[in-house]
Amino acid sequence: MYDKDGDREMRTRLLLSAITCFLLLAAAGAYAADVNPGDSIQAAIDAAGDGATITIASGTYDVAHLAINKPLTLKGETPGDPPKINITSDDGADGVTISASNVTLENLWLTRGGHSGYVAVVGVPKGGPWPHYVIVHSDITLQDCIIEGGRYGCYVHVNNFTVDGCAFLNSYRDSIVLSAVSGTTSITNTHITGSTTSKKAILVEGGVEEPFCSGTINIANNTCVGKRNFLVYNQWGDQSQQIGLSVTHNSIDQTPGGVVVLYAGYTTAAAGFAKFSSILIQDNIITNSGTAVKVDYEDYGGAPAADDRSVPTAGQIAVDNNLCFGNTADAVDATDATGNYGYTNVAGQTPSSASMAMFNLSGNLVGDPLYADPSHAGAHPDNFALLIGSPALGTASDSTNIGAWQGGGLNATALDVADVTGARGSSVDLQATLTSGGTPLVGEDVLFYLEGAYVGTGETDATGLAEVAYAIPVGAATGTQTIRGDFAGGGGYAPASDTGTLTITEPMVVWVDDDWDGPTNCGGHTWQFDAFDVIQDGINAVAEG
């Protein structure tokens, strides 16, 4: 007899088994591991399946190296509070080696103290045998990461490479090295800083062997303080693999070498500017630096004869609508009338056919951009915010702002920190007055620091005065300490800082002797000395006669 109930039960069991198998297979293909301080990040990577997203809790992690050999996303769990991953090794291997495609590092703070090896904090290696190396990995993304220290920040061979919203801090040498890239390479919304002796912010340079660069390189909306150069291009192999280079809406300050440099010292007609399908340098702010845009023919020996080196065709380098101020060209550079754009002009190195005709200069400006904070403290892009009246506001080729800052102009502010004197064991008021155009700013927070240590926050009153009471420790050393006041800005007002001096003295003690029988005008005596030999429980004592 046909058992309908039994058949229904069997079908239900089969369906549940199928669902269970599907869920297990899905989990195997999209494993997610949460990592907490004390856990192994590498173990989570090793256990993950292809396409996994591994979240890492905020905290500090020490690792020698990390190896990623499968497609996955490694991300900090809490936006704005990235886990700090200290790479403790200082050897011949990259700190994080990515040897797979479709890998994203997101919201991580990767730091490396050592820089003895020619390696990076993050590296993507090439593949294939010498000399026919190839790009084997694609679609690598660094999103909202801090990359700090190391010899190089990242050193990559990638098809489709994205860096967005990152910060590269204090790399010993070059911050971003594009050794070989193809497809679309995009470096955007990123802040790069380092000493002016720390080479390039972005370097496009490989060896003489394959692989070579191709595709588009888009460098936009970044900020840079320091570094020797902002961008150096030096990858010329295989003219059939062309490059479209676009450098737009960047704000660059205090970069003493050439800022955007096309290094042609070792080019030839067969391996030179025919490599480029286009070169566009547009809507950038470049200040207090070297030559803003430069073709560099300087060589270091063993280079082709000067007239065998490549010269851009007429107008090949489009330089449009940039704002420059305070730049100083190299003494050997031939430049335009503003001194901002040119090429190395050295006998025996520069081709005789080189001239300013290589540039298509259009609509470029010269003037102070009026940075709200010339020290560029704070986060990107606020560290390059502009004051009302800046010539960069609304004057870009696309009617936005020139440079990376795209907010409105800010009102200038002034903060005046007062000097103050107090004795050890006493209390003083740390004071600062905040104004804009001479008008007090009311209800704003001013943060006070002594010798760099935070001591309190005061709110400005109707006169713009903010103050914080500070008790000078009994054991404080006499002398001076630096008071710093900081206004973070906001509400359309620019940030402001100022410093003052706290002078710490010995306390004053008066000795009065009722039994004094000397001259009447000497009945009271005042000395300044270490009063705490005679102070008990914080109360001034009267010395016995």
Side-chain angles (χ1 to χ4, degrees), residues 433-512:
T433 303
L434 180 65
T435 58
S436 177
T439 301
L441 295 183
V442 182
E444 303 290 354
D445 287 341
V446 176
L447 281 63
F448 289 89
Y449 301 82
L450 271 176
E451 296 297 314
Y454 172 75
V455 294
T457 298
E459 183 177 309
T460 57
D461 62 15
T463 67
L465 178 68
E467 57 184 6
V468 167
Y470 175 68
I472 302 174
V474 169
T478 59
T480 61
Q481 294 188 11
T482 298
I483 310 166
R484 191 181 86 243
D486 285 347
F487 168 57
Y493 291 97
S497 295
D498 190 37
T499 58
T501 300
L502 168 62
T503 301
I504 302 175
T505 65
E506 300 287 8
M508 185 79 71
V509 175
V510 177
W511 172 15
V512 179

Side-chain angles (χ1 to χ4, degrees), residues 218-235:
N218 176 41
I219 300 170
N221 299 97
N222 304 291
T223 55
C224 179
V225 181
K227 304 299 289 186
R228 178 68 183 170
N229 314 95
F230 175 64
L231 167 67
V232 172
Y233 184 92
N234 184 30
Q235 228 273 19

Side-chain angles (χ1 to χ4, degrees), residues 16-331:
L16 290 174
S17 296
I19 293 171
T20 301
C21 290
F22 173 80
L23 292 174
L24 289 172
L25 288 170
Y31 176 86
D34 293 326
V35 181
N36 295 285
D39 296 340
S40 168
I41 298 173
Q42 187 63 58
I45 293 170
D46 294 342
D50 290 355
T53 294
I54 302 171
T55 59
I56 304 175
S58 300
T60 301
Y61 303 78
D62 290 337
V63 302
H65 302 94
L66 290 177
I68 300 174
N69 59 2
K70 64 191 72 172
L72 56 76
T73 295
L74 193 65
K75 65 183 294 185
E77 182 178 37
T78 306
D81 186 17
K84 186 176 184 180
I85 302 173
N86 294 320
I87 298 165
T88 58
S89 60
D90 185 18
D91 53 19
D94 294 325
V96 179
T97 300
I98 299 173
S99 53
S101 297
N102 298 297
V103 173
T104 296
L105 304 183
E106 182 177 350
N107 189 37
L108 304 176
W109 183 0
L110 300 167
T111 180
R112 190 174 200 176
H115 52 72
S116 61
Y118 286 83
V119 291
V121 178
V122 178
V124 183
K126 57 195 173 186
W130 179 89
H132 301 297
Y133 297 117
V134 294
I135 296 172
V136 293
H137 306 303
S138 65
D139 299 291
I140 307 297
T141 298
L142 305 181
Q143 180 71 55
D144 300 326
C145 291
I146 301 172
I147 312 292
E148 183 176 12
R151 190 175 189 88
Y152 307 108
C154 65
Y155 200 116
V156 302
H157 309 77
V158 181
N159 175 61
N160 298 334
F161 180 52
T162 299
V163 177
D164 183 64
C166 294
F168 285 80
L169 310 177
N170 304 315
S171 305
Y172 179 69
R173 294 290 293 269
D174 312 312
S175 298
I176 301 173
V177 182
L178 308 177
S179 182
V181 289
S182 60
T184 300
T185 300
S186 179
I187 301 171
T188 56
N189 305 306
T190 288
H191 179 59
I192 305 172
T193 188
S195 74
T196 55
T197 60
S198 62
K199 302 298 182 180
K200 300 93 176 169
I202 304 169
L203 173 63
V204 185
E205 181 178 78
V208 295
E209 70 281 340
E210 301 172 357
F212 303 117
C213 287
S214 63
T216 61
I217 299 176
N218 176 41
I219 300 170
N221 299 97
N222 304 291
T223 55
C224 179
V225 181
K227 304 299 289 186
R228 178 68 183 170
N229 314 95
F230 175 64
L231 167 67
V232 172
Y233 184 92
N234 184 30
Q235 228 273 19
W236 304 94
D238 192 350
Q239 306 298 285
S240 68
Q241 299 184 40
Q242 290 205 304
I243 286 284
L245 176 64
S246 175
V247 182
T248 60
H249 282 291
N250 301 286
S251 295
I252 304 148
D253 192 31
Q254 303 168 41
T255 300
V259 179
V260 176
V261 179
L262 305 173
Y263 182 64
Y266 289 82
T267 59
T268 63
F273 282 92
K275 177 77 174 177
F276 289 102
S277 59
S278 62
I279 303 172
L280 175 64
I281 301 161
Q282 183 178 63
D283 294 326
N284 303 285
I285 301 178
I286 301 173
T287 54
N288 305 307
S289 298
T291 309
V293 181
K294 175 178 179 175
V295 175
D296 188 357
Y297 286 106
E298 183 180 6
D299 69 64
Y300 304 92
D307 281 341
D308 290 335
R309 302 177 192 183
S310 181
V311 176
T313 59
Q316 184 176 5
I317 305 171
V319 181
D320 176 57
N321 214 66
N322 301 283
L323 173 63
C324 289
F325 182 74
N327 300 322
T328 303
D330 194 299

